[in-house]
Amino acid sequence: MASLVICFFGVVLFLAHCEVSASSDQMCIEKEANKTYNCENLGLSEIPDTLPNTTEFLEFSFNFLPTIQNTTFSRLINLTFLDLTRCQINWIHDDTFQSHHELSTLILTGNPLIFMAETALNGPKSLKHLFLIQTGISSLDFIPPHNLENLESLHLGSNHISSINLPKDFPTGNLKVLDFQNNAIHYLSREDMNSLKQATNLSLNFNGNDIRGIESGAFSSKVFQSLNFGGTPDLSVIFSGLQNSTLQSLWLGTFEDIDDQHLSSATLQGLCDMSVESINLQKHHFSDFSSTMFRCFAQLQELDLTATHLEGLPSGIEGMNSLKKLVLNVNKFDQLCQINAANFPSLTHLYIKGNTKKLHLGVGCLEELKNLQKLDLSHSSIEASDCCNLQLKNLPHLQSLNLSYGELIGLQREAFQACPQLELLDLSFTRLHVNAPQSPFQNLHLLQVLNLSHCFLDTSNQRLLAGLPNLRHLNLRGNRFQDGSIPKTNLFQTVGSLEILDLSSCGLLSIDQQAFRSLDKMSHIDLSRNSLTSNSIDALSHLKDAYLNLASNAIGIIPPHLLSILSQQSTINLSHNPLDCTCSNMPFLTWYKENLQKLEDLEETVCANPPSLQGVQLSDVMLSCGITAVGIFFLTVFLLLVSILLILAIKFFIRWKYQHL
């Protein structure tokens, strides 16, 4: 009888008919229900009727709207953000945004504007950010000044503007950012700057304009948040023009394709005649680099000397007691001691990223920096067989340490005892050799973020992460686990405070159902780019409202009993899996459509089976699983045959019984 039942189900499955259809219409992507939509690059020439009137945030770039009129967006009166980048707009007519009183950001980047009506911006009472980058503007008179009293940022980069003299009636009272980068501005006059006199703490960007002259007194007695003169070949012009000015930040960096002059002590003398807290001199050369060059740097709080071809800093620099942040990225130091840290006793932030030579840490090179809080030595090919107490001694207040992209670092027990206040430690992409069976991190009781991605760790060491009671974020991406599995007893049992765990690209094949039981606070787990099947989802049954990334695994069919685990999570990514779109996976496919709001990366969550549906998005699949008319006929015949067999069996049994009475 059992064989008959098996045969019955086999026939039913064989006769099951599956109808699948897929929708291929291009539509705007809804990012937030009834409020945020992405309609980019869909070849649209009008606003789709499918967009609700409640839309507030609309990305409409790379479509075709050569002319904008007051009817174009009239239905979407709740817009607060509108991106019309590269929509081939030529004409913006009167009262185009008349009904859009809440519009605060308008992006018109990359449109060849020919005409913009005087009343085009009359409607938005809250317009704060206006982008007119690469629109062909040659004069500021092109911009309608009406109704711009609340404007905070105006972006005019990559145009043909030669003068920054704003129209007399242009409101600048609330203006905080004015961006003129990559225009044709060569001279700044007093009249130009007087048009900005109502603005306070303004950030002005003249990057890439080749400033050749500034009228004397143009910047006198003015206060700026920041000034950017990047790419100016003759900095003496800038220093001369900024006499008696006050500014928070001054960007004077240059670029590889500009023939800049070598900076001398005489050139930098102009810094003594202004008040500035932060200065950037990246990619410049220095002709007489000595302690006297720093004479006018005494008031600085931040100094950026990125890629300035330095092999060392001079000793005996005086008066730099105010400097808090020093950036020495992409230079040519051999030893950490060559920066002569004692010159900057008040430093709290030090960056030596991307050193072009192998950087040797030395011993105690930074011990004078007792107030140092952040140290970044990443991408500097650091190699140390016994790290890091001697190298970082006397840094009791260090909170952030980045040694990523080094070569080989050996860690002893309590390797960071010299830095007990560490809250962030990044050792990613550095081959680590742990020289003791105990944890090298066990004295870091305040550590919250630990990045050990691609470190070739021995993940079988169950004590590796011991002594980290406050660890919140752990990145183990790219490290391998023995036999491709995480067993019940593992290194995560000592870090019960974890909230974010990254185990992507770890070559995982399976996870024990009890492997993460101690991680009851976890809210974000990344298991992408492994080879996990749906069986490993059982290990996440204790998680609720978590972000779960299972992208790029080997998940095909998800059994019904696992759907409750997925249902209790906040966000799930199942993209780039070989998902089954047949009737065998129907419970999951039904659940998927009912829970689209939980799912991430829908466009890349596609069918792999059957072959006829490869590449079709799961959200577009319509499944109809049932028995066809032909199937019903054969099933009826099958049941009739079973009935006849039963009747014959009963007759045979009765006859046999009477014969043996």
Side-chain angles (χ1 to χ4, degrees):
M1 198 66 185
S3 62
L4 284 174
V5 173
I6 293 172
C7 182
F8 170 74
F9 280 110
V11 171
V12 171
L13 288 174
F14 177 77
L15 297 173
H17 173 67
C18 175
E19 290 183 5
V20 185
S21 64
S23 172
S24 60
D25 294 338
Q26 282 189 315
M27 297 181 65
C28 299
I29 299 171
E30 183 181 60
K31 291 187 174 181
E32 183 180 351
N34 297 324
K35 289 186 177 182
T36 302
Y37 290 86
N38 186 332
C39 303
E40 292 179 338
N41 200 25
L42 296 180
L44 300 173
S45 58
E46 60 182 12
I47 304 303
D49 294 334
T50 53
L51 287 183
N53 295 344
T54 54
T55 301
E56 297 179 6
F57 193 106
L58 177 58
E59 298 175 54
F60 202 77
S61 57
F62 296 93
N63 285 297
F64 184 67
L65 291 174
T67 300
I68 302 179
Q69 302 179 15
N70 60 4
T71 57
T72 306
F73 300 99
S74 58
R75 188 169 56 82
L76 308 179
I77 61 174
N78 294 314
L79 282 176
T80 61
F81 177 98
L82 178 59
D83 187 351
L84 299 174
T85 297
R86 301 194 186 283
C87 285
Q88 303 180 49
I89 300 169
N90 299 130
W91 295 76
I92 302 179
H93 287 276
D94 288 309
D95 303 322
T96 295
F97 301 105
Q98 184 177 10
S99 304
H100 300 84
H101 303 305
E102 302 302 320
L103 187 63
S104 63
T105 301
L106 176 60
I107 303 176
L108 296 168
T109 296
N111 289 290
L113 296 179
I114 297 174
F115 173 76
M116 196 169 183
E118 282 288 314
T119 61
L121 302 176
N122 274 12
K125 305 295 183 184
S126 305
L127 192 63
K128 294 182 179 180
H129 310 288
L130 179 59
F131 292 78
L132 293 167
I133 300 169
Q134 206 174 18
T135 52
I137 294 175
S138 59
S139 173
L140 298 181
D141 292 325
F142 183 88
I143 306 169
H146 309 299
N147 199 39
L148 297 180
E149 288 79 9
N150 294 311
L151 197 66
E152 295 181 3
S153 69
L154 178 57
H155 301 265
L156 298 165
S158 301
N159 284 298
H160 308 293
I161 299 168
S162 58
S163 172
I164 72 164
N165 194 359
L166 290 165
K168 292 182 180 180
D169 52 353
F170 197 99
T172 60
N174 289 308
L175 203 59
K176 300 300 179 187
V177 175
L178 188 51
D179 188 347
F180 288 106
Q181 64 178 311
N182 298 320
N183 274 281
I185 301 166
H186 304 306
Y187 185 76
L188 297 172
S189 66
R190 287 190 179 188
E191 185 180 1
D192 292 337
M193 302 312 300
N194 285 337
S195 68
L196 301 172
K197 61 183 178 182
Q198 293 180 349
T200 56
N201 291 322
L202 183 65
S203 293
L204 265 174
N205 189 350
F206 296 112
N207 188 33
N209 274 278
D210 188 15
I211 303 295
R212 300 169 187 170
I214 300 177
E215 186 177 357
S216 179
F219 286 83
S220 294
S221 303
K222 290 183 173 62
V223 178
F224 293 91
Q225 178 66 28
S226 69
L227 291 176
N228 187 332
F229 290 99
T232 301
D234 188 357
L235 292 189
S236 60
V237 171
I238 305 301
F239 290 132
S240 176
L242 295 183
Q243 286 184 3
N244 301 319
S245 62
T246 300
L247 52 148
Q248 174 76 29
S249 174
L250 179 60
W251 207 96
L252 298 173
T254 189
F255 309 104
E256 296 288 353
D257 58 347
I258 293 178
D259 296 327
D260 63 301
Q261 64 173 182
H262 284 215
L263 298 184
S264 64
S265 300
T267 305
L268 296 174
Q269 178 69 30
L271 280 172
C272 290
D273 299 322
M274 69 180 76
S275 175
V276 58
E277 294 184 4
S278 173
I279 189 168
N280 185 308
L281 293 167
Q282 75 169 33
K283 292 189 179 294
H284 280 290
H285 291 75
F286 296 95
S287 57
D288 56 342
F289 200 66
S290 62
S291 58
T292 59
M293 182 165 284
F294 290 82
R295 191 173 65 83
C296 294
F297 286 33
Q299 60 188 327
L300 287 182
Q301 295 186 25
E302 298 182 9
L303 175 59
D304 192 331
L305 296 173
T306 295
T308 46
H309 319 281
L310 300 177
E311 297 182 356
L313 294 181
S315 59
I317 298 175
E318 298 179 352
M320 298 288 290
N321 296 332
S322 298
L323 195 69
K324 304 293 184 183
K325 179 179 177 180
L326 178 60
V327 182
L328 298 169
N329 300 336
V330 199
N331 280 294
K332 304 176 182 179
F333 302 111
D334 286 317
Q335 296 276 347
L336 189 57
C337 288
Q338 289 173 334
I339 72 167
N340 284 301
N343 292 321
F344 318 106
S346 301
L347 273 191
T348 58
H349 293 66
L350 176 60
Y351 301 83
I352 311 180
K353 295 173 56 177
N355 198 64
T356 57
K357 295 182 178 180
K358 181 181 290 188
L359 184 65
H360 297 278
L361 296 180
V363 176
C365 295
L366 305 178
E367 61 182 332
E368 299 296 329
L369 305 181
K370 298 179 181 179
N371 298 311
L372 197 64
Q373 298 175 13
K374 183 170 184 177
L375 176 60
D376 190 342
L377 302 174
S378 60
H379 296 269
S380 294
S381 304
I382 290 173
E383 184 174 344
S385 59
D386 185 5
C387 196
C388 294
N389 286 321
L390 292 177
Q391 294 86 346
L392 303 178
K393 68 178 182 179
N394 205 28
L395 299 178
H397 299 294
L398 194 65
Q399 298 175 6
S400 174
L401 175 61
N402 192 338
L403 297 173
S404 63
Y405 291 88
E407 291 196 358
L408 175 64
I409 292 181
L411 300 177
Q412 302 289 347
R413 180 179 179 179
E414 296 187 2
F416 299 94
Q417 190 174 12
C419 316
Q421 300 294 315
L422 274 182
E423 297 178 5
L424 184 151
L425 176 58
D426 190 344
L427 294 163
S428 59
F429 290 91
T430 299
R431 184 180 289 272
L432 296 181
H433 180 63
V434 179
N435 300 322
Q438 299 298 319
S439 170
F441 315 111
Q442 59 188 351
N443 67 301
L444 301 179
H445 304 302
L446 301 179
L447 196 70
Q448 297 186 35
V449 180
L450 178 58
N451 191 343
L452 297 173
S453 62
H454 300 278
C455 285
F456 302 94
L457 290 169
D458 177 12
T459 54
S460 64
N461 181 358
Q462 297 181 20
R463 300 296 300 170
L464 181 66
L465 303 173
L468 298 173
N470 288 297
L471 192 65
R472 302 284 185 266
H473 185 167
L474 174 62
N475 190 339
L476 287 174
R477 176 182 301 182
N479 289 286
R480 298 289 168 166
F481 287 77
Q482 189 174 2
D483 299 324
S485 65
I486 301 179
K488 178 180 179 180
T489 305
N490 54 64
L491 72 169
F492 301 116
Q493 293 175 321
T494 61
V495 284
S497 59
L498 269 189
E499 297 174 4
I500 300 174
L501 175 60
D502 190 339
L503 291 172
S504 60
S505 303
C506 287
L508 292 173
L509 300 172
S510 64
I511 302 175
D512 187 90
Q513 188 174 354
Q514 303 295 319
F516 298 140
R517 280 296 174 181
S518 60
L519 306 180
D520 53 3
K521 296 180 180 179
M522 198 155 54
S523 61
H524 183 122
I525 181 166
D526 190 343
L527 295 167
S528 63
R529 298 180 181 87
N530 286 292
S531 299
L532 298 170
T533 63
S534 58
N535 293 334
S536 296
I537 295 177
D538 264 328
L540 311 170
S541 61
H542 64 294
L543 299 182
K544 289 182 173 62
D545 296 321
Y547 172 87
L548 174 59
N549 191 347
L550 287 166
S552 301
N553 274 282
I555 299 172
I557 294 178
I558 299 181
H561 74 277
L562 296 177
L563 297 180
S564 60
I565 299 175
L566 297 180
S567 294
Q568 64 194 24
Q569 311 311 327
S570 62
T571 306
I572 305 162
N573 192 330
L574 290 165
S575 64
H576 301 285
N577 274 285
L579 293 167
D580 192 294
C581 292
T582 66
C583 292
S584 302
N585 209 16
M586 188 174 180
F588 164 70
L589 295 172
T590 302
W591 175 90
Y592 184 92
K593 286 194 171 186
E594 293 173 350
N595 291 272
L596 291 177
Q597 74 282 359
K598 289 179 176 287
L599 295 154
E600 184 181 66
D601 207 358
L602 297 177
E603 293 182 356
E604 301 300 327
T605 308
V606 299
C607 302
N609 185 45
S612 60
L613 289 177
Q614 284 184 0
V616 175
Q617 294 181 29
L618 259 66
S619 55
D620 292 337
V621 173
M622 297 181 64
L623 232 64
S624 177
C625 299
I627 303 176
T628 64
V630 176
I632 292 174
F633 171 76
F634 282 107
L635 182 60
T636 303
V637 173
F638 175 78
L639 292 175
L640 181 62
L641 291 174
V642 171
S643 300
I644 292 171
L645 288 174
L646 286 174
I647 292 171
L648 292 174
I650 292 171
K651 282 186 175 183
F652 176 81
F653 176 74
I654 293 173
R655 183 182 296 174
W656 180 85
K657 184 177 180 182
Y658 278 108
Q659 288 178 349
H660 291 79
L661 285 176

